[in-house]
Amino acid sequence: MTLDEKTRTKIGFTIAAWLVGLLIFFPILWTVLTSFKTEAQAIASPPLFLGFDWTLENYFEVQERSNYFRHFANSVVISVGSTVLGLLIAIPAAWAMAFVPRKRTKDVLMWMLSTKMLPPVGVLIPIYLLFRDTGLLDTLTGLVLVLTLINLPIIIWMLYTYFKEIPGEILEAARMDGATLWSEIVHVLTPMAVPGIASTLLLNVILAWNEAFWTLNLTAATAAPLTAFIASYSSPEGLFYAKLSAASTMAIAPILIMGWFSQKQLVRGLTFGAVK
Amino acid sequence: MGSIHLQNVTKKFDETEVIPPLDLDINEGEFVVFVGPSGCGKSTLLRMIAGLEDLTSGKIEIDGQDVSAVPPAKRGLAMVFQSYALYPHMSVRKNIAFPLKMAGMDQAEIDRKVDGAAKVLNLDAYIDRRPGQLSGGQRQRVAIGRAIVREPKAFLFDEPLSNLDAALRVNMRLEISELHQTLSTTMVYVTHDQVEAMTMADKIVVLRAGVIEQVGSPLELYHRPANLFVAGFIGSPKMNFVRGAEATKRNAHTIGVRPEHLSVSRESGMLKGKVGVAEHLGSDTFIHVAVEGSDLITVRTEGEIDLKHGDTVYLSAEEDRIYRFAEDGRTIQ
């Protein structure tokens, strides 16, 4: 049986897509597999793929040695807190830029984006000192604040592109109907932008959940989220790959599950405006 | 309630002057249509009345009160947009109720008014649907419903029928005229369609490049156009213009004759030409005649007429049906 060229190309692309997908997914898969090995099997050479004695020992030990749930709770507070605060600031900001643009609006947007290009370590010392002097070090409030500021440009940009898609006439109609600015944003703009706001929210929760630079540098014990929990297993006493993997798996599982269920929304959010 | 006065109103976008100083009086209860080619500033003018565009200078008064700096919500006007601008996430009921809710009216009163408007506009059957589930005509009715429940001082319509198909447009045109008869509220209506203007208006304002070319009743504009532009814009098919000897003979730069005032003869007449295309509408026939030294001339004759492509014909008009225009376009009386 011979395949026509179209089918062959399709099969070729499908195989390529699977290969790239597996390549990207492999480190996560390996982490998950390693978390079920013993420490000895974890460093065995040649590496063991599936043929090892599966054990849950690492998970029990990790939970015994450190309080997973406290770190988990911190992660939730930090990511949700910074997202909600970020949205509260970004919705009015994006509204202004999308619907009442001024001469400099584009410049402001570009400037905000440019702050994302600055290496965070460049402002670590000033922020650390500010946090120390204001008592924000190792507090959830401090982390919520810093992550809000870090992700704000992205939230504003995403919402801005969403809002740009909403016909201005509808907001004008609301104005004619007697809506104040506040009711215009609450009753008309926000409900219409729900899909956009939802994907912005999801993406930001993920970004904040995974953020490691600030969360590691600005916390010690009290406010440490899951990133610090993982880092604590790459300890000076030697590497415990299996336990590190178990900790990592526990840390990424919630966000992985959330990402899986919301992937449609996420993809839509990331490609919004680009693909119609 | 519902008189609008524009005094020396101007609008600039950056350095471009869209509306040069303009004065206009719209009386209570009048149906005023702004008409003109696209880009003539008619929508901008409407949006300035609505408060959606700021004035660069000048003054707008509604019922004698200066509203130039008053936000749209407080001007007491209602607007129907070209795109309908319905709230897509709300049902028809909620769309219509929105302005009342914003006004802080109590729920029982809102329900009563919404039901009333829905009945008037034949929307009862769709009251719980979302705009996405409605046809163009139904959406337009919802937009009108949302406007009438507020009992505004005046209605503003921004090309409300241009997204509808031809048949529906005629129906909605009648419905809006009917609504004006019933409510007797001032209506300001923007369109580029002179047929809409002629059929609906008490008063037509013809605009070109932000300048008012003429204001008058539909028949005034038809019978006594102030200039060449108005003469060419009002009437369908449009007025024929002829320059050259025939014009000079009448002491004019250009003469104009409406297609319905021309008669066709095979023997003799004012202008000689060859028949191009004849459009048979049943009730009327439009004959396009190529006349030497002039643009294509359109003749409208009643009923059917037996003319073929290439036939030589003579066109003539009664002298008092011929409009004369000076070189600057003004009508010579």
Side-chain angles (χ1 to χ4, degrees):
Chain A
M1 194 183 77
T2 52
L3 296 168
D4 63 62
E5 195 177 324
K6 217 172 153 189
T7 321
R8 263 184 290 157
T9 320
K10 213 171 153 186
I11 291 174
F13 275 119
T14 311
I15 292 172
W18 272 99
L19 282 176
V20 173
L22 281 176
L23 195 69
I24 295 170
F25 183 65
F26 188 76
I28 296 169
L29 176 70
W30 194 249
T31 307
V32 175
L33 286 177
T34 308
S35 73
F36 292 107
K37 296 173 184 173
T38 62
E39 288 297 347
Q41 285 165 338
I43 51 168
S45 178
L48 300 164
F49 190 59
L50 289 170
F52 57 85
D53 306 322
W54 293 65
T55 171
L56 284 173
E57 195 191 321
N58 299 313
Y59 286 91
F60 292 123
E61 208 163 308
V62 164
Q63 179 54 24
E64 217 168 90
R65 251 178 61 177
S66 44
N67 191 344
Y68 170 77
F69 289 104
R70 194 171 51 82
H71 294 291
F72 174 81
N74 285 346
S75 274
V76 171
V77 170
I78 293 166
S79 50
V80 173
S82 69
T83 303
V84 170
L85 185 62
L87 282 175
L88 285 179
I89 302 170
I91 291 178
W95 174 88
M97 287 191 262
F99 298 112
V100 215
R102 295 283 179 242
K103 266 187 196 155
R104 299 260 169 257
T105 299
K106 278 267 177 263
D107 299 338
V108 172
L109 276 166
M110 287 316 289
W111 169 74
M112 284 197 300
L113 196 65
S114 74
T115 61
K116 288 303 289 177
M117 296 166 197
L118 180 83
V121 73
V123 284
L124 175 61
I125 304 291
I127 289 195
Y128 188 88
L129 295 178
L130 271 173
F131 268 47
R132 189 196 60 191
D133 296 346
T134 46
L136 286 170
L137 270 185
D138 202 18
T139 61
L140 290 175
T141 318
L143 283 183
V144 165
L145 276 179
V146 83
L147 288 190
T148 302
L149 293 175
I150 295 299
N151 289 331
L152 203 51
I154 293 177
I155 310 186
I156 292 180
W157 261 91
M158 275 184 79
L159 289 178
Y160 170 78
T161 45
Y162 272 108
F163 288 178
K164 276 299 236 191
E165 303 276 322
I166 291 173
E169 274 198 350
I170 294 183
L171 300 185
E172 286 178 347
R175 245 165 276 166
M176 291 299 297
D177 282 344
T180 56
L181 180 59
W182 179 246
S183 14
E184 180 187 321
I185 292 182
V186 172
H187 295 292
V188 181
L189 180 69
T190 308
M192 281 178 70
V194 157
I197 293 173
S199 43
T200 310
L201 184 143
L202 280 171
L203 184 79
N204 199 65
V205 166
I206 292 172
L207 287 176
W209 187 279
N210 295 338
E211 207 289 322
F213 181 78
W214 295 102
T215 47
L216 287 181
N217 281 303
L218 298 177
T219 60
T222 334
L226 285 170
T227 45
F229 163 78
I230 302 175
S232 70
Y233 282 89
S234 59
S235 56
E237 326 121 47
L239 283 175
F240 296 98
Y241 281 118
K243 280 181 211 65
L244 181 61
S245 298
S248 296
T249 308
M250 287 165 84
I252 61 176
I255 211 74
L256 214 61
I257 293 165
M258 192 186 102
W260 181 266
F261 282 111
S262 56
Q263 52 180 323
K264 223 184 206 166
Q265 196 67 257
L266 273 175
V267 171
R268 196 179 122 72
L270 291 172
T271 56
F272 197 79
V275 188
K276 278 219 170 173
Chain B
M1 292 280 276
S3 66
I4 303 170
H5 300 286
L6 279 68
Q7 274 175 33
N8 247 328
V9 161
T10 67
K11 178 71 189 175
K12 276 186 189 171
F13 287 115
D14 291 328
E15 287 310 300
T16 327
E17 191 170 58
V18 198
I19 309 277
L22 178 149
D23 294 292
L24 182 68
D25 286 342
I26 296 167
N27 301 321
E28 195 182 318
E30 242 176 355
F31 197 123
V32 177
V33 175
F34 295 170
V35 71
S38 54
C40 70
K42 53 192 188 298
S43 283
T44 307
L45 197 57
L46 189 78
R47 292 169 56 82
M48 285 158 76
I49 297 175
L52 296 171
E53 295 289 352
D54 295 332
L55 306 183
T56 305
S57 66
K59 191 160 94 166
I60 294 180
E61 285 181 359
I62 297 174
D63 289 335
Q65 293 218 312
D66 185 354
V67 295
S68 312
V70 174
K74 302 242 165 73
R75 292 192 183 191
L77 307 173
M79 185 151 167
V80 176
F81 293 84
Q82 182 173 6
S83 63
Y84 321 132
L86 300 178
Y87 310 121
H89 56 289
M90 297 182 196
S91 64
V92 169
R93 174 180 289 285
K94 286 198 170 149
N95 260 284
I96 300 178
F98 188 76
L100 305 178
K101 195 173 141 193
M102 289 298 111
M105 203 176 269
D106 67 71
Q107 196 56 44
E109 182 73 1
I110 292 179
D111 287 342
R112 199 181 58 74
K113 289 202 168 200
V114 172
D115 289 335
K119 194 161 271 171
V120 172
L121 294 161
N122 285 324
L123 286 167
D124 332 36
Y126 318 108
I127 198 85
D128 293 315
R129 291 204 195 161
R130 295 253 178 116
Q133 298 164 298
L134 302 179
S135 70
Q138 289 162 347
R139 284 182 211 180
Q140 191 52 272
R141 276 201 211 103
V142 178
I144 294 172
R146 193 172 62 182
I148 60 174
V149 284
R150 292 185 60 193
E151 294 168 13
K153 291 176 189 162
F155 291 96
L156 310 178
F157 291 93
D158 190 2
E159 306 217 20
L161 306 185
S162 55
N163 286 348
L164 300 178
D165 64 51
L168 208 51
R169 207 178 303 163
V170 175
N171 282 343
M172 286 305 296
R173 207 164 76 194
L174 289 173
E175 280 187 39
I176 294 176
S177 295
E178 195 71 41
L179 198 68
H180 181 240
Q181 303 289 344
T182 324
L183 302 174
S184 330
T185 311
T186 311
M187 292 189 175
V188 186
Y189 188 105
V190 163
T191 180
H192 61 268
D193 181 350
Q194 62 92 24
V195 177
E196 271 175 32
M198 292 295 283
T199 51
M200 301 169 92
D202 295 324
K203 185 154 99 184
I204 297 180
V205 178
V206 184
L207 286 155
R208 177 169 62 161
V211 177
I212 296 181
E213 294 285 326
Q214 193 173 1
V215 180
S217 74
L219 291 180
E220 257 169 49
L221 298 193
Y222 178 82
H223 291 300
R224 290 186 295 281
N227 54 41
L228 198 97
F229 176 78
V230 176
F233 198 81
I234 300 290
S236 171
K238 66 188 284 263
M239 187 186 276
N240 299 297
F241 296 111
V242 178
R243 285 196 202 115
E246 288 297 331
T248 324
K249 213 157 75 188
R250 292 173 177 82
N251 287 328
H253 179 262
T254 311
I255 54 167
V257 188
R258 295 200 182 275
E260 50 273 38
H261 298 148
L262 278 168
S263 57
V264 186
S265 147
R266 289 188 184 271
E267 287 84 38
S268 65
M270 187 173 96
L271 301 162
K272 183 186 169 190
K274 273 195 176 8
V275 174
V277 175
E279 298 174 303
H280 300 278
L281 303 180
S283 59
D284 295 298
T285 306
F286 296 159
I287 309 157
H288 302 280
V289 181
V291 173
E292 237 174 86
S294 159
D295 295 336
L296 213 58
I297 302 270
T298 307
V299 183
R300 175 183 192 159
T301 56
E302 269 183 40
E304 309 229 351
I305 185 163
D306 184 31
L307 282 174
K308 287 193 301 296
H309 183 88
D311 285 357
T312 301
V313 289
Y314 294 88
L315 308 174
S316 36
E318 285 169 36
E319 262 331 290
D320 61 350
R321 297 287 204 186
I322 299 174
Y323 296 89
R324 299 182 303 135
F325 302 100
E327 196 170 355
D328 61 3
R330 271 181 312 106
T331 306
I332 303 169
Q333 299 298 337

